[in-house]
Amino acid sequence: MNPIARWFPALAAVFALAWIGMVGMRSTRGPEQVMPIGRIAALPVSSGGRTKPLDTFARSTLLRLSGRQTYEADGAQRSATEWILELWTRPDVAADRRVFRVDHPDVRSLLALTDATRTRFSWKEIEPKLDEVVRQAQMASQISRKQQDPFQRQISDLYGKLAEYADVQVLRAPYMVAPLDPGEQWVPITSSDPHAQEVLGRRSAKSLQTILAGYARGDADATTRAVDAYEAELARALPSEKSAGSLEVVFNRFEPFYQASILYVVAFLAGCFGLLAAQISPNRWRPALWRSALALIAIAFIVQTAGLGARIYLQGRPPVTNLYSSAVFIGWACVPLALIGEWYARLGFFSAAASLIGFASLVVAHNLSSSGDTMEMMQAVLDSNFWLATHVVVVTIGYSATFLAGFLAIFYAVGGVFTRFLQGEAMKALPRMIYGVVCFAAITSFVGTVLGGIWADQSWGRFWGWDPKENGAALIVLWNLLILHARWGGMIRDRGVAALAIGGNIVTAWSWFGTNMLGVGLHSYGFMDSAVFALLAFCIVQLVLVGVAMVPAARWRSLAAA
């Protein structure tokens, strides 16, 4: 190996660790500000059925309104906590902030928003047409969500955003008054509360009023003293909520899944360059680049694992509780499976598949987080840590393994048809690895589906009800078994296994997302309708790749070269 290339893996690991360490230090310290914004951000509030730091509530609210977790003020990007404090203490200034995203041209025309160069507008720009928004939203509410056209959906969404903005402005949300004394509960500070005077007399409410008054005056010393006193009260009455809030603020700032996605992209590029180098000088750069990719994947996996661990601690739940966490977990579970395969095969394709799936799943998770808080209250039917840790985790591992087999098959088909990479041992080993992953996927998906039936029997009194989600899980099992039986029966060989494994991506995507778009059945608590076109595009691409895998062997460039 080239002496310079020998140091590549170590250098890649050092730079990745240094970068992660730098981001982590910034996340722990927070931005340097005169006002104690970071400490105010960590104060616990209650919203959506759980206790969370003010930072999380502010981020979730601003994300729903504008699609971002920051806002622009005086030419600079400011945090969501600064926005919500400004909304409470200087509402006239906050009304000029462009925090409402409006995309549909007809909605803009209705609101007389003539600036076509931007998509975000302020409360003052929308307020003159508020009565018209209410009227149009009421008309749209008479039509079911599925039957609404894009204009009606966006006007309904805008009405909901404006109502949420108003609730937050008058402190109806979140519930900020903490239960510091026995018999108290989380309540909001709002003049419309029939027990307003009683609420305002609580120690927590007085402390919060002092903090907000100091912030409104711009008095950093008074605000800091008020935060000190309130934190001392929280430490005595709600120590676990206070410590969890501080951890969640660091988690929000660090964004472990975003950092891991960047590392996965760099690792994928390193793996691709390694494949190219293999054609130029197999023994010079290829080993160094592939080892660099493995080092980056390992660090990304550690960062992603830390993020999953933080979510488990903060929620007190197993890793998979909703669609967002399932996307994170699917990518996470693929990585060790791929690294084990890479350890035995040493082909580079497993590391490429691991990095690609890791990045793609985190991108999916990022898009699923647009609704706000990703650690929301559990549905009552899902409120069982035992079954979440068994059925949900095992069946999600089955998803992961099926996707891994499908992506390995994509590398096999595309690399075999269009390149000369797959020659010699690689041409023989990769199909064996796909077959092995399919075997593992069949076992885990079957066991997970059976466990789901047992949970359904306990929850709903029947083992199987042909629910769309149940049918999707059964399809994954049957598809994996179809591949195995076709292979055992001699009906297909390497190319056939690859083609069917790519088809497994479609089946798994349907079970994972497609069933949630139907909005029917006992599993409809995860209903979503915003990814229909993305799912359709994914399925079309997979069908094209199935066609690539079915190209006659005589036209495979790798086979021709061999």
Side-chain angles (χ1 to χ4, degrees), residues 4 59 164 178 182 213 230 259 291 351 393 487 528:
I4 299 177
R59 285 172 181 264
E164 183 174 10
Y230 189 43
Q259 314 304 336
R291 289 172 187 170
S351 59
V393 169
R487 182 66 181 87
M528 59 178 295

Side-chain angles (χ1 to χ4, degrees), residues 370-383:
S370 60
S371 61
D373 188 6
T374 61
M375 291 186 275
E376 72 269 14
M377 189 72 173
M378 292 291 301
Q379 297 283 339
V381 72
L382 297 178
D383 195 4

Side-chain angles (χ1 to χ4, degrees), residues 190-239:
T190 171
S191 58
S192 62
D193 192 294
H195 305 289
Q197 294 304 317
E198 176 188 344
V199 170
L200 295 177
R202 292 188 185 180
R203 289 188 293 142
S204 175
K206 292 179 179 178
S207 297
L208 290 167
Q209 288 177 312
T210 305
I211 293 171
L212 294 178
Y215 189 89
R217 295 194 307 270
D219 190 339
D221 292 335
T223 305
T224 301
R225 288 194 300 271
V227 172
D228 289 338
Y230 189 43
E231 285 181 337
E233 292 181 330
L234 290 171
R236 288 191 295 269
L238 301 170

Side-chain angles (χ1 to χ4, degrees), residues 275-410:
L275 291 174
L276 292 174
Q279 304 304 303
I280 302 172
S281 180
N283 298 321
R284 189 175 184 183
W285 294 102
R286 181 186 67 179
L289 289 170
W290 283 358
R291 289 172 187 170
S292 299
L294 286 174
L296 293 171
I297 290 171
I299 295 171
F301 178 72
I302 292 171
V303 173
Q304 190 172 0
T305 302
L308 276 173
R311 283 180 59 87
I312 292 171
Y313 172 77
L314 292 170
Q315 284 190 287
R317 299 285 188 180
V320 184
T321 56
N322 52 24
L323 275 177
Y324 172 87
S325 57
S326 72
V328 174
F329 186 80
I330 282 175
W332 177 85
C334 278
V335 173
L337 295 175
L339 292 180
I340 292 171
E342 187 63 40
W343 178 264
Y344 286 102
R346 301 183 185 277
L347 298 174
F349 292 100
F350 276 91
S351 59
S355 56
L356 183 58
I357 295 175
F359 171 72
S361 63
L362 291 178
V363 169
V364 171
H366 174 75
N367 289 310
L368 289 172
S369 67
S370 60
S371 61
D373 188 6
T374 61
M375 291 186 275
E376 72 269 14
M377 189 72 173
M378 292 291 301
Q379 297 283 339
V381 72
L382 297 178
D383 195 4
S384 170
N385 280 357
F386 173 77
W387 289 113
L388 286 171
T390 52
H391 158 64
V392 177
V393 169
V394 174
V395 82
T396 307
I397 291 175
Y399 287 179
S400 304
T402 308
F403 273 132
L404 178 58
F407 275 80
L408 288 173
I410 291 172

Side-chain angles (χ1 to χ4, degrees), residues 381 384 386-387 451-463:
V381 72
S384 170
F386 173 77
W387 289 113
L451 290 173
I454 298 173
W455 187 9
D457 185 55
Q458 292 187 2
S459 298
W460 302 317
R462 91 290 186 279
F463 181 84

